[in-house]
């Protein structure tokens, strides 16, 4: 008889966003006339800029003639796009050769898939709170025991708290793989050079590998903050970077990302180039390359015109973040993030737990946000508001919070 993968049964039952959707539906069925404002899921809302759509159109048109038609491409991605990404990194002073870049259908799949090239007995450390994919992919692959009190046995949780500015201390024991996301979802915190260097030094000393998610790098406003792990000396020997066109070019539905596995990267018993070769092997087997139409859009997004248009998009979302933050400040709610990331992380008033505050915000203000506890135990007592929304929705939501939230 066929047997299912037993590790799936360890996963927490309610994935965060379905539970949010369920509570929102139930509120709306009791209050059919209410308009709910969603500052919950981190999904982009504004249109893809014209020059980028033009790139998608051109790539589409090429398929319409046998002279320019293309079928399967390299699973690593099209060389012009890999070169454009390499130039883009060069533009902010970071050296990433095109040959170390793999184009993918997004950072979510890569951040979950990358674990398959590493042994099951690696000890994995995650920031707490964290993007749920890092944790759940480890559970499914059998790298953890069951969850006890909200923590999977065998995973090392690195708390990100108000006291440490939402960037973790080094793990208190030896770990092998370390997920770091900066700018961070959900806390909006951005690691400094010094903070990343501390982890790179740890990784070199302990022969660990950092899995660095830079999906929000384009939202960094402060030029002194690192946009890539490779801005840190030594990172090419110990870090993989995973990133995406989703949030900066509005590609959440279009689907395009990239992963960098440097030639110099080494794991136990490997020489330079071997880890990189494993990722190629994995991609060649499980993946047949990102859509050629979409790669045309990616190339356009990296042109001068495309980058300028994307900067207008990120600026728009960051203005939303400022509006949210100012509104919350005005009613005395303590907020974090929001300055170099499109998320405002707030401390719940009156010490309310995450789901109680979710229900209160929905009930009193008709605003949907994301309970911090959904991202890990250290998120309890906090709440995430997303700046990805139409300006008028954001303004209405903030006005509703400032006038209707009962802070007694
Ligand atoms: C949105 C997001 C991504 C992007 O995922 P895609 O699959 O590229 O859309 C990656 N990492 C984090 C932390 C995110 O929030």
């Amino acid at each position: 008889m066929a047997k299912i993968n037993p590790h799936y049964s360890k996963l927490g039952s309610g994935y965060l966003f379905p539970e949010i959707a369920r509570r929102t539906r139930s509120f709306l069925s009791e209050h059919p006339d209410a308009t709910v404002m969603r500052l919950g899921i981190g999904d982009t809302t504004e249109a893809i800029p014209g020059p980028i759509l033009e790139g998608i159109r051109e790539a589409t048109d090429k398929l319409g003639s046998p002279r320019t038609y293309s079928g399967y491409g390299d699973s690593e991605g099209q060389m012009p796009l890999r070169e454009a990404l390499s130039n883009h990194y060069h533009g902010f002073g970071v050296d990433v050769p095109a040959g170390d870049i793999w184009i993918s259908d997004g950072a979510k799949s890569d951040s979950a898939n990358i674990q398959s090239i590493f042994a099951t007995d690696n000890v994995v450390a995650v920031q707490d709170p964290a993007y749920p994919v890092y944790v759940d992919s480890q559970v499914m692959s059998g790298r953890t025991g069951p969850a006890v009190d909200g923590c999977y046995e065998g995973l090392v949780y690195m708390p990100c708290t108000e006291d440490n500015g939402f960037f973790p201390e080094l793990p208190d024991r030896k770990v092998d793989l370390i997920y770091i996301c900066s700018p961070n979802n959900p806390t909006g915190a951005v690691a400094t050079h010094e903070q990343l260097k501390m982890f790179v030094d740890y990784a070199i000393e302990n022969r660990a590998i950092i899995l660095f998610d830079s999906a929000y790098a384009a939202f960094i406003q402060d030029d002194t903050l690192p946009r890539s792990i490779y801005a840190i000396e030594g990172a090419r020997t110990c870090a993989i970077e995973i990133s995406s066109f989703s949030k900066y070019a509005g590609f959440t539905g279009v689907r395009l990302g990239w992963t960098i596995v440097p030639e110099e990267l080494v794991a136990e018993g490997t020489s330079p180039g071997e880890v990189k070769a494993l990722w190629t092997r994995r991609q060649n087997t499980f993946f047949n390359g990102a859509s050629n139409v979409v790669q045309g859009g990616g190339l356009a997004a990296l042109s001068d015109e495309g980058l300028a248009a994307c900067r207008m998009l990120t600026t728009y979302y960051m203005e939303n973040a400022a509006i949210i933050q100012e509104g919350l400040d005005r009613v005395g709610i303590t907020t974090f993030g929001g300055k170099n990331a499109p998320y405002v992380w707030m401390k719940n008033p009156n010490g309310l737990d995450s789901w109680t505050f979710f229900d209160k915000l929905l009930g009193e203000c008709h605003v949907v946000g994301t309970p911090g506890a959904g991202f890990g135990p250290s998120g309890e007592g906090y709440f995430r508001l997303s700046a990805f929304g139409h300006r008028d929705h954001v303004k209405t939501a903030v006005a509703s919070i400032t006038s209707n939230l009962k802070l007694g």
Side-chain angles (χ1 to χ4, degrees):
M1 196 170 175
K3 296 182 187 65
I4 58 167
N5 178 340
H7 304 302
Y8 278 53
S9 63
K10 298 172 191 162
L11 291 167
S13 56
Y15 181 63
L16 178 59
F17 294 107
E19 177 60 16
I20 291 174
R22 194 190 63 73
R23 291 192 190 212
T24 308
R25 267 195 314 275
S26 134
F27 173 80
L28 279 171
S29 71
E30 285 160 34
H31 306 86
D33 296 331
T35 305
V36 163
M37 290 155 284
R38 293 169 208 269
L39 301 183
I41 296 187
D43 193 0
T44 49
T45 52
E46 301 312 306
I48 294 175
I52 301 174
L53 287 181
E54 196 46 46
I56 297 176
R57 267 189 219 108
E58 274 172 28
T60 308
D61 288 343
K62 280 189 183 166
L63 299 178
S65 156
R67 275 184 309 105
T68 49
Y69 174 83
S70 63
Y72 289 127
D74 296 335
S75 73
E76 291 93 334
Q78 297 172 354
M79 202 31 118
L81 179 57
R82 300 166 75 197
E83 280 166 353
L85 276 169
S86 173
N87 285 334
H88 181 58
Y89 275 91
H90 197 71
F92 50 84
V94 174
D95 185 29
V96 178
D100 291 351
I101 304 175
W102 282 253
I103 307 299
S104 72
D105 62 353
K108 184 182 203 174
S109 23
D110 281 3
S111 60
N113 291 333
I114 194 72
Q115 52 79 23
S116 88
I117 65 169
F118 296 104
T120 320
D121 59 1
N122 280 300
V123 176
V124 180
V126 292
Q127 284 168 290
D128 171 26
Y131 184 51
V133 178
Y134 313 146
V135 171
D136 289 0
S137 60
Q138 301 305 325
V139 176
M140 291 170 170
S141 62
R143 235 174 239 113
T144 75
V148 178
D149 298 332
C151 291
Y152 290 99
E153 280 177 354
L155 269 191
V156 174
Y157 290 77
M158 303 184 291
C160 298
T161 62
E162 201 174 335
D163 285 343
N164 60 26
F166 300 99
F167 189 80
E169 279 91 32
L170 289 171
D172 52 12
R173 57 186 173 116
K174 199 173 163 336
V175 302
D176 306 305
L177 297 172
I178 306 165
Y179 279 91
I180 297 177
C181 177
S182 174
N184 191 268
N185 177 9
T187 66
V190 186
T192 62
H193 269 87
E194 294 67 34
Q195 287 172 323
L196 290 185
K197 183 171 186 310
M198 183 174 86
F199 271 81
V200 167
D201 290 348
Y202 172 94
I204 292 171
E205 192 177 322
N206 292 278
R207 326 239 6 226
I209 289 179
I210 296 169
L211 305 167
F212 187 76
D213 185 336
S214 66
Y216 296 97
F219 292 85
I220 293 179
Q221 311 290 306
D222 175 352
D223 285 336
T224 67
L225 294 168
R227 280 157 213 265
S228 165
I229 188 75
Y230 305 116
I232 313 304
E233 207 187 318
R236 290 185 54 79
T237 65
C238 66
I240 289 174
E241 180 160 311
I242 297 170
S243 202
S244 174
F245 289 86
S246 280
K247 310 295 166 37
Y248 101 85
F251 272 28
T252 51
V254 174
R255 312 301 310 139
L256 195 67
W258 70 91
T259 283
I260 298 164
V261 187
E263 176 74 21
E264 295 92 320
L265 187 84
V266 282
E268 188 178 308
T270 74
S271 333
E274 284 185 50
V275 178
K276 178 174 162 174
L278 289 183
W279 183 239
T280 300
R281 189 74 179 81
R282 192 269 165 210
Q283 291 299 77
N284 282 340
T285 302
F286 284 81
F287 186 58
N288 240 339
S291 155
N292 48 14
V293 167
V294 169
Q295 291 188 69
L299 197 54
L302 293 166
S303 68
D304 289 344
E305 229 187 337
L307 286 169
C310 290
R311 246 188 317 275
M312 288 176 66
L313 272 183
T314 49
T315 302
Y316 178 90
Y317 291 130
M318 292 313 293
E319 286 166 2
N320 284 348
I323 292 169
I324 295 169
Q325 210 147 27
E326 278 159 21
L328 296 175
D329 284 352
R330 233 181 305 132
V331 293
I333 290 175
T334 310
T335 62
F336 309 91
K339 302 282 190 278
N340 294 285
Y343 295 115
V344 174
W345 185 242
M346 55 167 281
K347 195 170 183 168
N348 295 342
N350 307 328
L352 292 177
D353 73 67
S354 292
W355 284 107
T356 304
F357 185 72
F358 176 92
D359 291 333
K360 179 178 166 70
L361 192 67
L362 180 57
E364 293 174 4
C365 311
H366 303 180
V367 172
V368 174
T370 313
F375 298 99
S378 296
E380 183 55 279
Y382 290 86
F383 206 75
R384 189 191 79 176
L385 293 175
S386 160
F388 291 118
H390 299 307
R391 181 65 46 84
D392 53 340
H393 281 218
V394 169
K395 283 189 165 163
T396 317
V398 170
S400 177
I401 295 173
T402 53
S403 47
N404 300 326
L405 189 65
K406 298 191 183 69
L407 290 166

